[in-house]
Amino acid sequence: MKTLAFAGALMGLALGATVSANAAILDFDSGQASYSGLNNLTGYSQDGMDFAISLDSGDPRASGANLFDTSACANSNNQTTNCNGNDDGDLVPTTTANGVSGNVLIRQENGNRGNQFGALDDDATGTGSITFELLSGSAFRLLGFSAVDDGRFSILVNGQELGSLAPGADRASASTTFGVSPIINVGGTFTVRFEGSGAVDSIRLAPVPVPAALPMLIVGLGGLGALARRRKRPA
């Protein structure tokens, strides 16, 4: 009876307690980007999650996924200025109220893929997509995303669109929140679809809660098994 009571207590603890999971944001600023060749983004790591990134585009002008630094095009009032050799001032909103800042994710236009200053200087028009594959890290759900410029953007999992947005004009931005999305585990993918020019500023994720006492439960059940085996041994 004591053994059963102990097992029941462990089970109740495991089911009743969960690790609190705060939302994470892929902001394309605080993580580590990986490249192949000239300005071709192939991976991104942040908050213990590692992603492989690939471009699938029907637009021959798009040469790869890339990061564009909006701060290179804005003055202290966040107004578009010289851009330091970058051509794409329309990726910089005219006010800070929309929260777009720092690096944004683009499909790099092939003809402008790095000028003489090495700048990341233009986003492709037309339709195409960027796919993220979770290589390592905790499972998560997608919560929403934000984007800037005049294209239409959407995020899909398993071919199903979770949500979309259309900022509507140059330098405009928008954000959207999803309902409950599928869980993305290691090896799983999600896709950002671009219809026209523009950039994604951030993607919001919610790590999937893990039972806090699960390791304790596994150890406890292992101990119960060992106890049962000892009791079965002849004296």
Side-chain angles (χ1 to χ4, degrees), residues 23 76-77 84 96 155 195 219:
S76 60
N77 295 319
N84 295 331
T96 58
I155 287 187
E195 298 177 26
V219 172

Side-chain angles (χ1 to χ4, degrees), residues 191-210:
T191 297
V192 181
R193 183 174 175 81
F194 296 69
E195 298 177 26
S197 63
V200 171
D201 179 52
S202 64
I203 301 172
R204 298 190 303 281
L205 316 175
V208 177
V210 176

Side-chain angles (χ1 to χ4, degrees), residues 32-232:
Q32 179 67 45
S34 301
Y35 291 89
S36 174
L38 178 62
N39 303 331
N40 184 25
L41 182 67
T42 58
Y44 191 75
S45 301
Q46 184 180 324
D47 297 332
M49 295 176 288
D50 299 310
F51 295 93
I53 295 176
S54 58
L55 177 78
D56 176 19
S57 179
D59 181 1
R61 289 167 293 185
S63 60
N66 216 333
L67 297 181
F68 178 89
D69 184 6
T70 66
S71 64
C73 294
N75 60 23
S76 60
N77 295 319
N78 206 32
Q79 301 295 316
T80 303
T81 57
N82 185 338
C83 295
N84 295 331
N86 293 286
D87 299 330
D88 229 346
D90 61 348
L91 292 179
V92 183
T94 55
T95 68
T96 58
N98 45 43
V100 175
S101 63
N103 292 336
V104 293
L105 178 68
I106 65 172
R107 295 171 302 133
Q108 183 69 44
E109 184 175 299
N110 192 37
N112 290 325
R113 196 176 180 195
N115 57 24
Q116 66 269 30
F117 304 107
L120 314 181
D121 57 354
D122 214 344
D123 58 324
T125 58
T127 298
S129 60
I130 296 175
T131 296
F132 291 72
E133 178 185 358
L134 181 63
L135 300 179
S136 63
S138 302
F140 61 86
R141 296 182 187 273
L142 292 158
L143 296 180
F145 73 112
S146 60
V148 62
D149 208 357
D150 53 3
R152 179 183 184 272
F153 308 84
S154 57
I155 287 187
L156 303 90
V157 176
N158 301 325
Q160 179 180 0
E161 184 177 296
L162 300 179
S164 65
L165 53 85
D170 282 357
R171 298 190 180 90
S173 68
S175 62
T176 185
T177 299
F178 305 140
V180 177
S181 76
I183 295 175
I184 296 178
N185 294 289
V186 171
T189 63
F190 68 90
T191 297
V192 181
R193 183 174 175 81
F194 296 69
E195 298 177 26
S197 63
V200 171
D201 179 52
S202 64
I203 301 172
R204 298 190 303 281
L205 316 175
V208 177
V210 176
L214 185 58
M216 185 187 301
L217 175 63
I218 293 173
V219 172
L221 292 178
L224 291 176
L227 179 61
R229 288 192 294 274
R230 285 198 298 270
R231 288 184 173 179
K232 289 181 179 179

